[in-house]
Amino acid sequence: MSKPEAIQIETILTHLRALVSADSSEPERTMTANHPAMLYAMGVLTDAGCDVEITDLGGGCVNLFATRGETRTLFNCHLDTVKPNPMWTRDPFALDVEQGLAYGLGACDIKGAAACMLAVAQSTDAPIAIFLSSDEEGGKGVCVDSFLGAHAGRFARVVVAEPTNAKAVFQHRGFASFEIDFSGTAGHTSGADASSESAIHKAIKWGSEALELARPGGVLDGSRFNIGVIEGGTASNVIAASAKVRFGFRPQPSPEANELAQQGIDALRTLLPKGGGDAWSERFVGPALSRDDSMIEVVESWGIELGADVDFWTEAALFSAAGLPAIVLGPGDIAQAHASDEFVALDQLEKCAGAYMRIVGCALQTPMMTGGTHAP
Ligand SMILES: [Zn+2]
């Protein structure tokens, strides 16, 4: 490998500017293999000597997979963003650099990391593998599932970009979200059976019993159980024929996390009124990311700062669940993600690009396939 060039912050900002201007806030509507963000990344990575393959899975799910040489370490970053909220005071799609901060939609979550990856690929000829996806914010997991099906065996570990202040994160909570549609029988509330026939009454009874499970000693204790939506009915003198409850919880990481999460789900379902008629549906279930001890040694060998556990969910859990050890590592703070006037600090971009460079350098020295000090 020839000596890597130092990465200039201007190079990272050039990439970030291009990616931010490529609106990817509604991937299900706009994301295809020809989306400007995908084409830009493909152009940079092709020029950097990578083989680049773009796969359009439909429905806004597009994968870009770039490789140069053989490496056992995979980088992953999503290129989709949330929609800009009405509180933005700047143009969300025009990168604005001011006093050490780069403002733009997705600058923090997580196009800044993608810009760092592109800059790293350009500034060295070390082996590198980058997988960019487009359906993270929608929580579909289609991109990662498809990628794993095709390429998982090639890699020994994955570095998933999300905002971690450029520190390596080994664990985070899971996230499980559901909806229940309670059904009742509409009628006049003067009837003797009004109380038991109301869908809203059923929903409230279920909710209060569910909250008991989240109290100390309950099966959901410590899981951040939350009922986020409860709606239904039409008037105070009409028995509610329907009511909807949306809720979620966030199981803590541990070797038993998935088992405990399933126990929580089972307990919540058991609380449903007997006799059926109420529809339970899953909205999203993502496992917790529990530490893979082999990754501690690997990250220390890279010389990257170890971070504390985080509470937000990432797709690192999907790789880990498929047997591929994963860490989360990206520039910026989660506090700015999804926020109006989202920004990433320039020193975070520099720090993260430096970390990615060390990973690439280290990956180069890692013996391929089996054995060696870094192999998990
Ligand atoms: Zn993200």
Side-chain angles (χ1 to χ4, degrees):
M1 144 186 177
S2 57
K3 196 163 171 281
E5 297 164 27
I7 294 178
Q8 305 297 324
I9 186 68
E10 284 309 326
T11 305
I12 300 173
L13 290 175
T14 298
H15 298 324
L16 185 53
R17 187 167 286 112
L19 293 173
V20 163
S21 72
D23 180 357
S24 52
S25 64
E26 294 181 78
E28 56 291 330
R29 209 171 58 76
T30 64
M31 181 59 72
T32 65
N34 292 318
H35 188 278
M38 289 289 169
L39 293 180
Y40 182 81
M42 181 167 77
V44 172
L45 291 167
T46 303
D47 287 349
C50 296
D51 293 326
V52 183
E53 164 192 307
I54 295 185
T55 310
D56 189 341
L57 303 163
C61 306
V62 177
N63 282 351
L64 182 153
F65 182 38
T67 54
R68 184 178 59 202
E70 286 295 321
T71 172
R72 297 285 279 157
T73 302
L74 172 71
F75 287 103
N76 165 244
C77 184
H78 66 87
L79 288 183
D80 54 313
T81 70
V82 295
K83 292 187 183 68
N85 69 57
M87 302 300 284
W88 273 79
T89 65
R90 300 162 185 265
D91 179 350
F93 303 107
L95 194 77
D96 209 358
V97 180
E98 203 177 291
Q99 298 189 328
L101 305 176
Y103 295 85
L105 183 65
C108 176
D109 185 8
I110 183 73
K111 288 178 171 176
C116 290
M117 289 175 190
L118 297 183
V120 167
Q122 275 181 317
S123 64
T124 163
D125 56 8
I128 193 166
I130 298 174
F131 159 40
L132 304 177
S133 67
S134 73
D135 70 343
E136 196 274 345
E137 297 295 358
K140 292 183 182 170
V142 170
C143 288
V144 171
D145 280 350
S146 167
F147 181 88
L148 284 167
H151 306 293
R154 269 177 83 159
F155 299 101
R157 63 194 75 89
V158 55
V159 176
V160 175
E162 290 293 351
T164 63
N165 290 302
K167 296 175 187 171
V169 165
F170 298 86
Q171 296 205 109
H172 62 64
R173 288 176 182 266
F175 183 54
S177 154
F178 304 88
E179 179 176 300
I180 307 173
D181 288 297
F182 289 92
S183 61
T185 306
H188 199 284
T189 53
S190 60
D193 56 357
S195 182
S196 60
E197 287 302 317
S198 165
I200 289 183
H201 290 195
K202 288 184 189 177
I204 291 174
K205 180 169 182 292
W206 178 89
S208 64
E209 289 173 4
L211 287 170
E212 289 298 315
L213 299 179
R215 292 170 69 87
V219 67
L220 293 173
D221 183 13
S223 290
R224 310 266 165 94
F225 177 76
N226 178 61
I227 299 175
V229 174
I230 179 162
E231 61 188 25
T234 54
S236 63
N237 61 355
V238 177
I239 300 169
S242 65
K244 181 196 303 291
V245 173
R246 282 187 185 166
F247 62 96
F249 67 99
R250 297 175 182 269
Q252 290 173 293
S254 79
E256 302 80 37
N258 293 340
E259 203 179 311
L260 293 173
Q262 190 56 51
Q263 286 174 18
I265 293 168
D266 293 344
L268 290 165
R269 289 195 76 143
T270 303
L271 298 178
L272 285 173
K274 306 293 173 248
D278 307 300
W280 166 289
S281 53
E282 180 181 305
R283 289 171 57 77
F284 178 83
V285 173
L289 176 67
S290 300
R291 177 174 41 243
D292 185 305
D293 288 334
S294 70
M295 285 305 294
I296 304 266
E297 201 183 323
V298 173
V299 169
E300 283 175 346
S301 77
W302 287 335
I304 292 170
E305 196 175 340
L306 309 188
D309 299 350
V310 296
D311 285 329
F312 55 91
W313 188 82
T314 81
E315 289 186 333
L318 301 182
F319 291 98
S320 174
L324 198 55
I327 60 162
V328 191
L329 171 64
D333 194 297
I334 195 69
Q336 274 84 51
H338 303 190
S340 49
D341 295 342
E342 173 181 354
F343 66 83
V344 63
L346 303 197
D347 59 4
Q348 277 289 307
L349 293 172
E350 286 175 319
K351 186 176 174 189
C352 186
Y356 290 169
M357 276 298 270
R358 283 194 289 278
I359 291 171
V360 168
C362 195
L364 188 68
Q365 294 147 25
T366 303
M368 296 300 148
M369 306 312 287
T370 54
T373 52
H374 303 309

